[in-house]
Structure formats: structure tokens, C-alpha cells
């Protein structure tokens, strides 16, 4: 089982190449394996909280975060195939999203246990992939949770321990969830009439590319084109 998890961690970028049903099986096996193989590690982390002098090694935290990142993404890699096969209006599509939401709740619970104990672990401690996994899972959390941990990410970015674009995406998502205009134009929503994703409204859109550039993001026009998003005339 650990071998399967290791492969997933290393080859998540190529998951789309595999058969849909094989991936579903692989995801199921991986989650079963994760719950079994990580029991001891999770117990170590929980037991370590009151033991200030016995911190969990960064290598274990790194592996834990990378694994959570894989758990967060595996079903999402399959989502395009599900959408193509069943359509967005189908019961199968809705059921598949219920699986994603269920997995998200599991991942965010694991992440919060780490954040509350060790803070927003930066690149120098756990590496780029594990650091990005923190942001990735937080993107899929409830907005109240996102708002609570946003200052953690801001501090990490200010110290150069997390990417600026992580902050842009999370800030925009929080604003969108609160039905406010986003700052950087990172978020898009599905338009049922156009049958495409459309860039969510942006505040002070004339200067959006200046703001994007400061945090390492490409121009909004390029972002929209690369992702197949519609950029409304009002957002130009």
C-alpha cells in the first residue's frame, strides 16, 4: 500500500493518462491505505502537542502534507472524465462531487491539526510540494476556515516561505465566497448559458495586471486564454 501511495505522490501529474475506473479503484485503495498506514504517524503528531521538547521531524510533516495533497487532488484529476462521460446535469456527476466534498472535509481536518500545532510550514522546512499542498487543501476548505488561516499564509508569504500567488488565489476565493469582487482575477465560475467558466468580477480591473505581476501572476488575458475562461468585456 505504501508503494501505491509513493507512486501517486510522484506521478500525480500523469493521472489523466489512466482509465477512469482504474483511477477510482486506485483512489479507494489509497484512502484505505492512508487510514491504515498513517495511524501511527497521526498518533505521534497528536501525542507530541503537549511535549514541547519533542517536535515531530520536518521529514514526517513533509510526507504527511504531500500525502494530504495527493488525497485532495486524486478525485479532481478524474473529474474531467466524469464530466465528459456523464455531463454536469447528471446524478453521477453530482454524486462524484459529493465524494470530493467528503474527501475535502477529511483533508482539511488533517491539515488543521498540523497548522494549529506547527503553523503554516514554509518551503525551507518541508519543501515546495508540501508547502503548496497546504495552500491547495485550504483552497477547498469552508470560507470561515479560510478566513481564520489567511493571516498564517500572509505571514508565510512575507517571509518568503510561500508563493505570492498562493495568497492571491486564497484572497480571491474568500472574496468570491463572500460575494465581493476579487482582487487578482484568479477565480472563475461556471456559466450555464455559455457552458464555459467565466472570470468572476474584478475590482479596479484596469490595474489588475499590476497587482497580478507583484505576486508572480501572468496577465489576466493570458490566464483566461490558457484555462479556456471567458473574460467579460466589463473585466477588461
Amino acid at each position: 500500500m505504501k508503494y501505491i501511495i509513493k507512486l501517486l505522490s510522484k506521478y500525480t501529474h500523469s493521472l489523466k493518462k489512466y482509465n477512469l475506473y482504474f483511477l477510482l479503484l486506485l483512489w479507494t485503495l489509497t484512502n484505505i491505505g492512508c487510514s491504515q498506514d498513517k495511524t501511527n504517524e497521526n498518533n505521534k503528531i497528536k501525542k507530541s502537542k503537549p511535549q514541547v521538547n519533542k517536535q515531530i521531524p520536518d521529514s514526517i510533516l513533509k510526507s504527511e502534507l504531500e500525502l494530504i495533497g495527493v488525497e485532495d487532488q486524486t478525485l479532481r484529476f478524474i473529474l474531467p472524465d466524469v464530466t465528459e462521460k456523464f455531463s454536469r446535469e447528471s446524478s453521477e456527476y453530482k454524486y462524484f462531487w459529493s465524494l470530493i466534498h467528503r474527501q475535502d472535509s477529511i483533508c482539511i481536518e488533517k491539515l488543521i491539526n498540523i497548522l494549529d500545532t506547527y503553523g503554516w510550514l514554509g518551503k525551507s522546512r518541508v519543501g515546495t510540494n508540501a508547502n503548496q499542498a497546504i495552500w491547495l487543501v485550504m483552497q477547498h476548505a469552508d470560507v470561515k476556515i479560510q478566513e481564520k488561516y489567511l493571516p498564517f499564509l500572509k505571514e508565510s508569504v512575507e517571509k518568503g516561505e510561500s508563493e505570492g500567488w498562493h495568497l492571491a488565489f486564497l484572497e480571491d476565493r474568500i472574496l468570491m465566497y463572500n460575494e465581493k469582487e476579487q482582487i487578482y482575477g484568479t477565480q472563475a465560475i461556471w456559466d450555464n448559458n455559455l457552458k464555459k467558466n467565466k472570470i468572476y468580477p474584478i475590482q479596479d480591473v484596469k490595474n489588475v495586471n499590476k497587482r497580478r505581476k507583484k505576486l508572480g501572476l501572468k496577465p489576466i488575458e493570458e490566464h483566461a486564454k490558457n484555462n479556456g475562461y471567458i473574460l467579460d468585456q466589463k473585466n477588461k
Side-chain angles (χ1 to χ4, degrees), residues 12 89 92 97 116 119 126 145 159 194 223:
T12 49
E89 292 75 27
E92 290 88 351
W97 263 109
D116 287 348
V126 295
I145 295 175
K159 292 179 178 180
L194 298 172
H223 170 64

Side-chain angles (χ1 to χ4, degrees), residues 23-115:
L23 272 173
L24 283 170
L25 174 61
L26 189 58
W27 175 80
T28 302
L29 289 173
T30 302
N31 275 270
I32 293 172
C34 290
S35 62
Q36 293 174 341
D37 295 341
K38 294 188 296 179
T39 298
N40 292 333
E41 288 184 4
N42 286 336
N43 287 337
K44 288 179 182 178
I45 291 177
K46 291 178 181 178
K47 291 178 181 179
S48 72
K49 290 182 181 180
Q51 300 174 8
V52 180
N53 296 323
K54 293 185 179 180
Q55 289 289 306
I56 295 298
D58 289 349
S59 59
I60 292 180
L61 293 171
K62 176 178 182 294
S63 297
E64 177 76 4
L65 287 168
E66 288 178 349
L67 199 55
I68 294 173
V70 171
E71 292 172 2
D72 174 272
Q73 285 294 292
T74 303
L75 282 177
R76 285 183 166 86
F77 274 109
I78 311 171
L79 184 59
D81 293 325
V82 173
T83 307
E84 182 179 355
K85 184 176 180 62
F86 299 108
S87 84
R88 290 174 177 269
E89 292 75 27
S90 67
S91 57
E92 290 88 351
Y93 180 83
K94 294 176 182 177
Y95 171 69
F96 193 79
W97 263 109
S98 74
L99 294 179
I100 292 177
H101 292 319
R102 187 185 307 170
Q103 185 61 33
D104 286 347
S105 65
I106 294 172
C107 289
I108 193 62
E109 184 177 353
K110 294 176 182 178
L111 180 63
I112 287 174
N113 287 334
I114 294 175
L115 292 178

Side-chain angles (χ1 to χ4, degrees), residues 198-223:
K198 186 177 180 180
I199 297 290
Y200 190 77
I202 306 168
Q203 59 178 274
D204 185 24
V205 69
K206 292 182 179 179
N207 295 305
V208 66
N209 284 335
K210 292 180 181 178
R211 298 193 296 270
R212 290 176 65 87
K213 187 176 182 179
K214 288 181 179 179
L215 293 186
L217 292 167
K218 296 179 180 179
I220 188 67
E221 296 82 5
E222 189 173 345
H223 170 64

